[in-house]
Amino acid sequence: MWRRVRLGRSFGWLWAAYAVSAYGTGLGFGAFSVVAIKVLNASSAEVAALSSSGLAIGALLAVPLGPWMEFRAKRPVMIAMDVVRFAALTSIPLAYWLGTLSFAQLLVVSIVAAAAKIAFTAASGAYLKTIVPADGLLVATSRFESTTWSATVIGPPVGGAAIGLLGPVTTIVVDAVSYLLSALGIAAIRKPEQPPKPRTTRTRRRSDIVEGWRYILTHHTLRRFFFNVMLVNGLIMATEPLLSVLMLSRLGFPAWEYGLAFAVPCVGGLIGSRIARRVASRCGEQTVLRVCGALRACWPLGLAFIRPGLAGLVIVMVTELGLIICASIFNSVFAAYRLNNTATDRHARVLAAWSITTSTSTAVVTVSWGLLAQLTSPRAAVALAGVLLLGTPFLLPRQVTTPEPAGPIPPNEEPVFPGDRARA
């Protein structure tokens, strides 16, 4: 049985800020690829490089941010990262209107945005754990997940129409403003953030940097999920720029149909995130993570059979619908599981390490698939990704357990927020 959980006003502001930026991101879905293809006439390899370079280099820049954030207040970090993304994205329409936009600038902005996103995600995850009780985390993560998908339902078709009517950088402007509004929303939280407890002694910088990865790799269940999520996300995301080229360039889909093809199935994300808590309560967390984790890998192969016209739209929509329903249930349950099973004084480093590795692996896979598409075809590369995804369920843990992390927690590092220990 499940019961109603009150998450509080601080969570309401955090959720509102997230919603604003999520809708901005939804409107800007694929905007960099569209600008690269339509304005700069980029090739398949260049579009793939645009996606992968931002992820890879941005992830490297974010490596020291996890330890830096762990013992600092999280709200100022979140606000700063939103402002950084606002400034970076704003430079693109300015350069376009001045006639100076270049592929190099798109690369630099994608790198800055990727690093800021990793820092924001780690800080917001750690902050969420301090304002929401443990039994409310699945409710909170489900709400974030449903917001993401609702934004994706509305954003891409509206963004595609806006691009067609107002120009290729329109949605980038909206996305930039959404980050500024997000920063204002986070700043509006009135409840003071509990100050992080300072370290009692100095620690070695190198060991501090790798602590997030050490924690993940010595936690049996998190380790298996880590490799599964890394590979699944990489293979799915690697097909995004290839599908842009295939649909917009090779098959002649207009921008609004391209956006519609990926927006309509996102209704499945609303469905999955809304029922995630009930499904987990009825079937059990372990069953949900294993079954939905496996099912989400079975759908992407269908994208290799895209055709021009209505038949192609139907193939994309049906495939994406199945994928998204399974993924949204898995993501909601797993996000809560990861927060509940990570030591309080490791949240920022674990989340940063997770995001950095996922971003880097996605970048490597994306650029590899871009080169593969250049040598063969976008369709062949999408098909290979779908086949490989069928093997990823074997990486999932057989039993979802909550073992103690290997090795003692260093005595010189105290929990970030003293109140967390009381809540636990």
Side-chain angles (χ1 to χ4, degrees):
M1 295 292 294
W2 58 279
R3 60 183 178 83
R4 188 175 184 85
V5 178
R6 295 181 63 85
L7 301 180
R9 182 171 295 180
S10 294
F11 174 78
W13 277 111
L14 182 64
W15 187 20
Y18 177 82
V20 170
S21 61
Y23 276 90
T25 301
L27 285 167
F29 174 79
F32 277 36
S33 296
V34 170
V35 170
I37 294 170
K38 298 293 187 181
V39 178
L40 302 176
N41 298 315
S43 65
S44 297
E46 288 175 323
V47 174
L50 179 61
S51 299
S52 60
S53 297
L55 291 174
I57 302 176
L60 290 176
L61 292 177
V63 167
L65 295 180
W68 177 76
M69 290 185 293
E70 192 72 79
F71 297 93
R72 286 172 171 80
K74 306 303 183 292
R75 281 178 57 209
V77 174
M78 295 157 62
I79 293 170
M81 293 304 104
D82 272 339
V83 172
V84 167
R85 286 186 283 186
F86 164 73
L89 289 176
T90 301
S91 71
I92 294 178
L94 288 177
Y96 173 76
W97 293 325
L98 292 173
T100 60
L101 182 63
S102 65
F103 189 78
Q105 182 178 353
L106 288 181
L107 283 174
V108 171
V109 173
S110 67
I111 291 168
V112 173
K117 179 181 179 181
I118 290 172
F120 182 94
T121 300
S124 62
Y127 181 66
L128 178 65
K129 185 67 182 291
T130 70
I131 62 174
V132 174
D135 61 352
L137 281 175
L138 180 52
V139 178
T141 56
S142 296
R143 289 185 183 180
F144 284 131
E145 188 75 10
S146 65
T147 301
T148 298
W149 290 115
S150 64
T152 310
V153 170
I154 298 171
V158 174
I163 288 174
L165 292 173
L166 303 174
V169 299
T170 304
T171 57
I172 295 179
V173 174
V174 176
D175 195 12
V177 173
S178 74
Y179 288 121
L180 181 60
L181 295 176
S182 173
L184 294 175
I186 296 170
I189 298 176
R190 297 302 180 188
K191 184 178 180 180
E193 181 177 355
Q194 295 182 15
K197 192 171 183 178
R199 296 172 178 170
T200 57
T201 60
R202 298 174 62 89
T203 59
R204 291 180 302 170
R205 185 175 181 83
R206 181 177 300 178
S207 62
D208 207 22
I209 287 176
V210 302
E211 177 58 28
W213 285 279
R214 189 202 69 82
Y215 189 93
I216 293 170
L217 296 177
T218 54
H219 190 298
H220 173 71
T221 309
L222 284 181
R223 180 174 68 246
R224 296 293 294 266
F225 279 122
F226 180 65
F227 290 115
N228 173 268
V229 171
M230 181 173 59
L231 188 55
V232 170
N233 286 0
L235 289 172
I236 290 176
M237 294 302 297
T239 63
E240 180 186 335
L242 304 182
L243 289 171
S244 299
V245 174
L246 180 61
M247 295 182 70
L248 294 172
S249 182
R250 304 291 179 86
L251 300 180
F253 284 92
W256 71 269
E257 285 188 357
Y258 169 74
L260 186 68
F262 289 94
V264 172
C266 291
V267 173
L270 292 174
I271 297 171
S273 57
R274 293 291 293 178
I275 67 174
R277 189 184 178 208
R278 297 187 183 187
V279 172
S281 178
R282 176 171 298 182
C283 302
E285 185 180 62
Q286 174 173 319
T287 300
V288 172
L289 289 174
R290 283 188 54 80
V291 173
C292 292
L295 289 177
R296 81 196 200 283
C298 298
W299 293 93
L301 185 59
L303 296 173
F305 302 96
I306 298 176
R307 299 171 55 188
L310 180 61
L313 287 177
V314 171
I315 290 173
V316 174
M317 289 180 182
V318 171
T319 301
E320 290 290 318
L321 179 64
L323 167 64
I324 289 170
I325 289 176
C326 298
S328 61
I329 296 174
F330 175 87
N331 291 342
S332 298
V333 177
F334 177 68
Y337 170 84
R338 184 174 56 188
L339 283 174
N340 276 324
N341 290 276
T342 300
T344 303
D345 60 340
R346 297 295 190 277
H347 279 139
R349 281 172 287 183
V350 166
L351 293 175
W354 198 288
S355 296
I356 289 167
T357 307
T358 302
S359 296
T360 305
S361 61
T362 298
V364 172
V365 176
T366 298
V367 74
S368 300
W369 254 248
L371 294 173
L372 178 63
Q374 196 78 359
L375 294 174
T376 57
S377 69
R379 189 185 300 274
V382 170
L384 179 58
V387 171
L388 292 177
L389 278 166
L390 297 178
T392 58
F394 294 102
L395 294 173
L396 291 169
R398 295 181 181 179
Q399 290 187 337
V400 179
T401 57
T402 57
E404 293 295 326
I409 295 176
N412 59 324
E413 294 183 9
E414 296 294 333
V416 179
F417 297 96
D420 279 352
R421 187 169 288 173
R423 276 190 290 271

